[in-house]
Amino acid sequence: MKPPRFTYHCPGSLGEALDLLATLPNARPLAGGQSLMPMLNFRLASPDHLVDLNALEELAFIREDGDAVVIGALTRQRDIENSALVARRLPLMAEAIRLVGHRQTRNRGTLGGSLAHFDPSAELPAVATALDAEVRIASKRGERTLGMAQFGRGLLSTALESDEIVTEVRLPAWPQGHGHGFQEFARRHGDFAVVSAAALVVRSKGAVTRASLTLGGIAPAPLRMAQAEAILQARGTLAQAAEACGSIEALGDATYPAWYRRKLAVSLARRALEQAMGRAAS
Amino acid sequence: MSALRTVRLIVNGKPYAREVEDRMTLADFLRHELGLTGTHVGCEHGVCGACTVLYEGRTARSCLMLAAQADGRSLTTVEGLAQGEELSELQKAFWDKHGLQCGFCTPGVLMTLTELLRESPDADERQVRDALSGHLCRCTGYQNIVAAALEAAARMRGKA
């Protein structure tokens, strides 16, 4: 269909954008538009005002900051995909972002937009959760920074207030020699994953000294599997760690019942962990 | 009726100005306001790829953009690929390899492959198929689209 009526605004600065969001009733920020525009076309969203963030070039950057990589919210997914810095410091992100939609949607889609939309199956919230990302948020009232556990509230729902936008995301880099793995099951390449698994490990003298395992698509928000991480660090096997993903209270629907998602979670967790272990320097 | 907005932009090298509603998509703007009906509209939610254009040199779904967003910008549609009567190498390869049947998806496919071959002149079959994953074609089974893309890449490398 066609979008419902709204008034379009294209602020030239962050301050102007935040002013508009603070004063206009029923306003929605528009970033890359790869989720909001379909929602408008389907009339699943009917804002009275659209505040286009695409002119805010100050929010499009990728820079190294100590032991982290900071990525501006308006950075296009394709620029993250093509970034040598991201490939070097955040190989998990570099791998997973190729599975986000298609090149034509990654040319427009942004990191901040994907986090703010917070689809349970989306790859970028899962990667951000796996890396313990910090999300910087701004409004006319001020700025605040939230970890992913505080940022995510549930299905398509975040801690963002209606006058707030994501401005940047700080992604801590894991040490050189760490292993990463990202696995997902989707019916077609480029579709949202039914379930995805993101794994990071650091190995030393045969033992796993640090582990991160995150599942996407199985719950309303990406799930960190603390139990599986603990099993690995206590010298448990990959199979034991993966099995810990089999008792999650999973989302279920007519197409993908909960039991099926749990089976996928166990298989994908094991594959992602195997991939990460195989890549880690021991 | 909301107020109209003037959108000025450059399409295929030619400047245009039109007064449109804020909610008009770029795809509808190209077709209904500019009469450039080579850009096709299929699903209107970014999945089928038929409406793909080059926006500031990069592929984008024109059904997922507003005409208002393109104000002051420059884009290329399928009508901009040929030089007069002379088809681009990619278009010629589609002709020679029978890379289309009904032709509905073809404009979008051509825009994506134009971008791919510009960025990666040595693109192999895997890369071509990855790029094509953003397009739905219900006729060809994709085989001849892939063959045409690889043929065009080979011919363009031969000329370079």
Side-chain angles (χ1 to χ4, degrees), chain A residues 126-143:
Chain A
V127 168
T129 302
L131 288 166
D132 296 304
E134 291 181 336
V135 184
R136 190 96 178 129
I137 294 166
S139 73
K140 208 171 174 216
R141 294 173 286 124
E143 287 191 278

PDB file of all heavy atoms in Angstrom, chain A residues 126-143:
ATOM      1  N   ALA A 126      21.686  -8.721  18.370  1.00  0.00           N
ATOM      2  CA  ALA A 126      22.354  -9.909  18.922  1.00  0.00           C
ATOM      3  C   ALA A 126      23.855  -9.667  19.028  1.00  0.00           C
ATOM      4  O   ALA A 126      24.480  -9.990  20.046  1.00  0.00           O
ATOM      5  CB  ALA A 126      22.062 -11.139  18.063  1.00  0.00           C
ATOM      6  N   VAL A 127      24.447  -9.084  17.986  1.00  0.00           N
ATOM      7  CA  VAL A 127      25.885  -8.801  18.009  1.00  0.00           C
ATOM      8  C   VAL A 127      26.206  -7.790  19.115  1.00  0.00           C
ATOM      9  O   VAL A 127      27.185  -7.934  19.863  1.00  0.00           O
ATOM     10  CB  VAL A 127      26.359  -8.285  16.637  1.00  0.00           C
ATOM     11  CG1 VAL A 127      27.767  -7.722  16.719  1.00  0.00           C
ATOM     12  CG2 VAL A 127      26.286  -9.405  15.609  1.00  0.00           C
ATOM     13  N   ALA A 128      25.365  -6.761  19.221  1.00  0.00           N
ATOM     14  CA  ALA A 128      25.593  -5.732  20.251  1.00  0.00           C
ATOM     15  C   ALA A 128      25.510  -6.351  21.642  1.00  0.00           C
ATOM     16  O   ALA A 128      26.285  -6.000  22.542  1.00  0.00           O
ATOM     17  CB  ALA A 128      24.568  -4.605  20.093  1.00  0.00           C
ATOM     18  N   THR A 129      24.588  -7.297  21.824  1.00  0.00           N
ATOM     19  CA  THR A 129      24.445  -7.977  23.119  1.00  0.00           C
ATOM     20  C   THR A 129      25.666  -8.851  23.393  1.00  0.00           C
ATOM     21  O   THR A 129      26.201  -8.863  24.502  1.00  0.00           O
ATOM     22  CB  THR A 129      23.155  -8.825  23.125  1.00  0.00           C
ATOM     23  OG1 THR A 129      22.045  -7.959  22.873  1.00  0.00           O
ATOM     24  CG2 THR A 129      22.953  -9.515  24.459  1.00  0.00           C
ATOM     25  N   ALA A 130      26.123  -9.563  22.369  1.00  0.00           N
ATOM     26  CA  ALA A 130      27.286 -10.449  22.532  1.00  0.00           C
ATOM     27  C   ALA A 130      28.528  -9.659  22.936  1.00  0.00           C
ATOM     28  O   ALA A 130      29.359 -10.142  23.699  1.00  0.00           O
ATOM     29  CB  ALA A 130      27.539 -11.212  21.238  1.00  0.00           C
ATOM     30  N   LEU A 131      28.640  -8.431  22.416  1.00  0.00           N
ATOM     31  CA  LEU A 131      29.838  -7.623  22.651  1.00  0.00           C
ATOM     32  C   LEU A 131      29.697  -6.696  23.868  1.00  0.00           C
ATOM     33  O   LEU A 131      30.584  -5.903  24.140  1.00  0.00           O
ATOM     34  CB  LEU A 131      30.153  -6.775  21.411  1.00  0.00           C
ATOM     35  CG  LEU A 131      30.693  -7.530  20.187  1.00  0.00           C
ATOM     36  CD1 LEU A 131      30.634  -6.655  18.947  1.00  0.00           C
ATOM     37  CD2 LEU A 131      32.133  -7.982  20.435  1.00  0.00           C
ATOM     38  N   ASP A 132      28.581  -6.783  24.595  1.00  0.00           N
ATOM     39  CA  ASP A 132      28.332  -5.880  25.728  1.00  0.00           C
ATOM     40  C   ASP A 132      28.388  -4.415  25.295  1.00  0.00           C
ATOM     41  O   ASP A 132      29.050  -3.582  25.932  1.00  0.00           O
ATOM     42  CB  ASP A 132      29.334  -6.119  26.865  1.00  0.00           C
ATOM     43  CG  ASP A 132      29.189  -7.506  27.467  1.00  0.00           C
ATOM     44  OD1 ASP A 132      28.071  -7.827  27.902  1.00  0.00           O
ATOM     45  OD2 ASP A 132      30.178  -8.263  27.483  1.00  0.00           O
ATOM     46  N   ALA A 133      27.688  -4.110  24.230  1.00  0.00           N
ATOM     47  CA  ALA A 133      27.695  -2.756  23.688  1.00  0.00           C
ATOM     48  C   ALA A 133      27.028  -1.767  24.641  1.00  0.00           C
ATOM     49  O   ALA A 133      26.156  -2.134  25.440  1.00  0.00           O
ATOM     50  CB  ALA A 133      26.955  -2.735  22.348  1.00  0.00           C
ATOM     51  N   GLU A 134      27.466  -0.518  24.539  1.00  0.00           N
ATOM     52  CA  GLU A 134      26.816   0.567  25.270  1.00  0.00           C
ATOM     53  C   GLU A 134      26.183   1.506  24.256  1.00  0.00           C
ATOM     54  O   GLU A 134      26.826   1.930  23.294  1.00  0.00           O
ATOM     55  CB  GLU A 134      27.842   1.323  26.108  1.00  0.00           C
ATOM     56  CG  GLU A 134      28.359   0.474  27.253  1.00  0.00           C
ATOM     57  CD  GLU A 134      29.358   1.230  28.100  1.00  0.00           C
ATOM     58  OE1 GLU A 134      29.979   2.191  27.590  1.00  0.00           O
ATOM     59  OE2 GLU A 134      29.507   0.865  29.272  1.00  0.00           O
ATOM     60  N   VAL A 135      24.917   1.813  24.478  1.00  0.00           N
ATOM     61  CA  VAL A 135      24.153   2.621  23.533  1.00  0.00           C
ATOM     62  C   VAL A 135      24.023   4.033  24.082  1.00  0.00           C
ATOM     63  O   VAL A 135      23.518   4.237  25.180  1.00  0.00           O
ATOM     64  CB  VAL A 135      22.751   2.011  23.319  1.00  0.00           C
ATOM     65  CG1 VAL A 135      21.990   2.790  22.250  1.00  0.00           C
ATOM     66  CG2 VAL A 135      22.859   0.539  22.921  1.00  0.00           C
ATOM     67  N   ARG A 136      24.502   4.989  23.300  1.00  0.00           N
ATOM     68  CA  ARG A 136      24.424   6.400  23.696  1.00  0.00           C
ATOM     69  C   ARG A 136      23.126   6.980  23.146  1.00  0.00           C
ATOM     70  O   ARG A 136      22.805   6.814  21.962  1.00  0.00           O
ATOM     71  CB  ARG A 136      25.624   7.147  23.123  1.00  0.00           C
ATOM     72  CG  ARG A 136      25.787   8.544  23.656  1.00  0.00           C
ATOM     73  CD  ARG A 136      26.781   8.546  24.805  1.00  0.00           C
ATOM     74  NE  ARG A 136      26.990   9.891  25.309  1.00  0.00           N
ATOM     75  CZ  ARG A 136      26.896  10.198  26.592  1.00  0.00           C
ATOM     76  NH1 ARG A 136      26.583   9.289  27.482  1.00  0.00           N
ATOM     77  NH2 ARG A 136      27.122  11.435  26.987  1.00  0.00           N
ATOM     78  N   ILE A 137      22.390   7.646  24.006  1.00  0.00           N
ATOM     79  CA  ILE A 137      21.056   8.135  23.665  1.00  0.00           C
ATOM     80  C   ILE A 137      20.997   9.625  23.964  1.00  0.00           C
ATOM     81  O   ILE A 137      21.522  10.074  24.978  1.00  0.00           O
ATOM     82  CB  ILE A 137      20.004   7.387  24.517  1.00  0.00           C
ATOM     83  CG1 ILE A 137      19.973   5.901  24.131  1.00  0.00           C
ATOM     84  CG2 ILE A 137      18.634   8.005  24.382  1.00  0.00           C
ATOM     85  CD1 ILE A 137      19.229   5.045  25.128  1.00  0.00           C
ATOM     86  N   ALA A 138      20.359  10.383  23.072  1.00  0.00           N
ATOM     87  CA  ALA A 138      20.255  11.830  23.300  1.00  0.00           C
ATOM     88  C   ALA A 138      18.813  12.284  23.159  1.00  0.00           C
ATOM     89  O   ALA A 138      18.042  11.738  22.364  1.00  0.00           O
ATOM     90  CB  ALA A 138      21.134  12.592  22.306  1.00  0.00           C
ATOM     91  N   SER A 139      18.476  13.280  23.949  1.00  0.00           N
ATOM     92  CA  SER A 139      17.217  14.003  23.779  1.00  0.00           C
ATOM     93  C   SER A 139      17.489  15.436  24.184  1.00  0.00           C
ATOM     94  O   SER A 139      18.591  15.763  24.649  1.00  0.00           O
ATOM     95  CB  SER A 139      16.104  13.408  24.641  1.00  0.00           C
ATOM     96  OG  SER A 139      16.336  13.741  25.992  1.00  0.00           O
ATOM     97  N   LYS A 140      16.487  16.281  24.032  1.00  0.00           N
ATOM     98  CA  LYS A 140      16.657  17.667  24.437  1.00  0.00           C
ATOM     99  C   LYS A 140      16.921  17.757  25.938  1.00  0.00           C
ATOM    100  O   LYS A 140      17.500  18.715  26.438  1.00  0.00           O
ATOM    101  CB  LYS A 140      15.391  18.444  24.077  1.00  0.00           C
ATOM    102  CG  LYS A 140      15.730  19.884  23.834  1.00  0.00           C
ATOM    103  CD  LYS A 140      14.656  20.719  23.271  1.00  0.00           C
ATOM    104  CE  LYS A 140      15.200  22.137  23.258  1.00  0.00           C
ATOM    105  NZ  LYS A 140      14.200  23.122  23.543  1.00  0.00           N
ATOM    106  N   ARG A 141      16.473  16.735  26.680  1.00  0.00           N
ATOM    107  CA  ARG A 141      16.636  16.728  28.133  1.00  0.00           C
ATOM    108  C   ARG A 141      18.050  16.359  28.551  1.00  0.00           C
ATOM    109  O   ARG A 141      18.409  16.516  29.712  1.00  0.00           O
ATOM    110  CB  ARG A 141      15.646  15.722  28.746  1.00  0.00           C
ATOM    111  CG  ARG A 141      14.197  16.132  28.564  1.00  0.00           C
ATOM    112  CD  ARG A 141      13.243  15.039  29.016  1.00  0.00           C
ATOM    113  NE  ARG A 141      13.202  13.927  28.079  1.00  0.00           N
ATOM    114  CZ  ARG A 141      13.448  12.662  28.395  1.00  0.00           C
ATOM    115  NH1 ARG A 141      13.756  12.341  29.628  1.00  0.00           N
ATOM    116  NH2 ARG A 141      13.396  11.715  27.488  1.00  0.00           N
ATOM    117  N   GLY A 142      18.849  15.801  27.630  1.00  0.00           N
ATOM    118  CA  GLY A 142      20.213  15.415  27.972  1.00  0.00           C
ATOM    119  C   GLY A 142      20.589  14.095  27.326  1.00  0.00           C
ATOM    120  O   GLY A 142      19.882  13.593  26.457  1.00  0.00           O
ATOM    121  N   GLU A 143      21.726  13.548  27.795  1.00  0.00           N
ATOM    122  CA  GLU A 143      22.225  12.313  27.211  1.00  0.00           C
ATOM    123  C   GLU A 143      22.271  11.237  28.276  1.00  0.00           C
ATOM    124  O   GLU A 143      22.400  11.521  29.463  1.00  0.00           O
ATOM    125  CB  GLU A 143      23.642  12.526  26.669  1.00  0.00           C
ATOM    126  CG  GLU A 143      23.684  13.355  25.404  1.00  0.00           C
ATOM    127  CD  GLU A 143      25.061  13.320  24.772  1.00  0.00           C
ATOM    128  OE1 GLU A 143      25.934  14.096  25.218  1.00  0.00           O
ATOM    129  OE2 GLU A 143      25.270  12.501  23.872  1.00  0.00           O
TER     130      GLU A 143
END
